[in-house]
Amino acid sequence: MLDEVRLKLDTFPYRLYQPMPWLGLQGAARDRATASRFEAMLPVIERTASEDAVDVGCNLGWYVVSLAERGIQTIGIEESPPAYRSALLAVKRSGASNAGILAMRVTPETASLVPSVDAMLLLSVWHHFVRSFGLSGATDMLETVWSRTRRVLFFETGEDEMGIEFGLPAFLPDARTWLTGYLESTCERSEVLHLGLHDAFDAAARPCRRNLFAVVRAN
Ligand SMILES: C[S@@+](CC[C@H](N)C(=O)[O-])C[C@H]1O[C@@H](n2cnc3c(N)ncnc32)[C@H](O)[C@@H]1O
């Protein structure tokens, strides 16, 4: 019962970002869009024979539980108490015995604490790094997270739709080209694959599309 009360408080009055079938919650802002990213990532996870994963900025833990249900041991890292409390409950309710949630803010100081795994997810989080630590701090953090990645890093970020307060660079000549070059230069010895454009929304809840990348470690 305490779990239920806590969940009500933690999810009120905001609209959920990710779907939460394990908690019986419907109507997430990124409902279908969460699944479309996952469908694009799964073949790469299979091709790279990834056996474990970390989801940095896991929010409510949809990818954590979904990967765990496919036999991939997964840790979600999340800084927001309402989100990580709900994620913990989702893991528990799902019955997954191969998943966990780490309550931690990833910063230039703590990035090296991210567990080393085959597959790393960094979805819609890098722009928060840039906002908090500047482009140079975010790049250092991405380098560190890449050093913890044994096989593949999935990367997606807010692009031109984000407000000026995020301090993002000008994505010229376009976001796909800029981000491909950025990932190639930051993640050494990698091949950058484009996994399509996926639905997202801006700060004013207007729909937009974002690039999804797989950064695969070269042998
Ligand atoms: C825009 S949501 C994206 C959620 C999820 N990755 C997805 O794509 O569905 C960003 C999430 O990352 C978390 N976050 C942002 N900065 C973080 C940091 N430095 N360390 C840990 N979590 C962070 C936020 O609390 C939020 O839950």
Side-chain angles (χ1 to χ4, degrees):
M1 193 172 117
L2 269 180
D3 281 344
E4 276 311 315
V5 173
R6 204 179 290 119
L7 179 65
K8 283 249 165 11
L9 290 174
D10 283 342
T11 54
F12 177 85
Y14 310 107
R15 192 167 174 211
L16 295 183
Y17 190 84
Q18 296 179 337
M20 272 292 110
W22 308 279
L23 300 180
L25 300 174
Q26 314 290 335
R30 258 212 196 171
D31 202 337
R32 174 79 204 122
T34 301
S36 85
R37 285 164 175 78
F38 195 55
E39 281 158 23
M41 293 190 294
L42 274 181
V44 185
I45 288 177
E46 278 164 24
R47 206 163 56 239
T48 55
S50 292
E51 292 183 350
D52 52 16
V54 161
D55 183 4
V56 178
C58 70
N59 195 252
L60 303 179
W62 188 90
Y63 292 104
V64 176
V65 178
S66 299
L67 286 167
E69 286 182 339
R70 281 162 181 77
I72 296 165
Q73 300 162 57
T74 306
I75 293 278
I77 303 179
E78 176 54 54
E79 69 164 349
S80 155
Y84 64 64
R85 281 194 294 262
S86 303
L88 275 169
L89 190 59
V91 169
K92 182 178 157 192
R93 292 268 171 89
S94 74
S97 57
N98 55 351
I101 303 295
L102 173 57
M104 181 174 87
R105 181 167 200 233
V106 181
T107 68
E109 266 187 297
T110 65
S112 60
L113 296 174
V114 172
S116 175
V117 284
D118 291 341
M120 192 74 70
L121 278 62
L122 191 66
L123 305 177
S124 294
V125 177
W126 179 82
H127 56 274
H128 291 288
F129 289 176
V130 175
R131 183 179 189 165
S132 300
F133 308 107
L135 179 58
S136 143
T139 304
D140 289 348
M141 289 166 74
L142 177 58
E143 267 177 14
T144 304
V145 168
W146 174 243
S147 74
R148 317 296 296 147
T149 307
R150 290 195 290 260
R151 297 185 182 187
V152 58
L153 171 110
F154 295 100
F155 182 94
E156 182 239 75
T157 180
E159 302 177 358
D160 294 325
E161 76 281 0
M162 302 309 296
I164 193 166
E165 68 277 13
F166 279 83
L168 296 177
F171 294 118
L172 294 173
D174 56 74
R176 176 174 172 175
T177 307
W178 192 93
L179 287 167
T180 301
Y182 174 73
L183 291 168
E184 282 170 349
S185 62
T186 308
C187 304
E188 61 174 16
R189 290 189 296 115
S190 67
E191 182 190 0
V192 178
L193 311 175
H194 189 252
L195 300 185
L197 285 165
H198 297 263
D199 289 344
F201 47 84
D202 66 13
R206 286 179 298 244
C208 60
R209 307 267 282 165
R210 287 184 186 163
N211 293 281
L212 175 65
F213 300 92
V215 185
V216 180
R217 194 172 280 287
N219 288 323

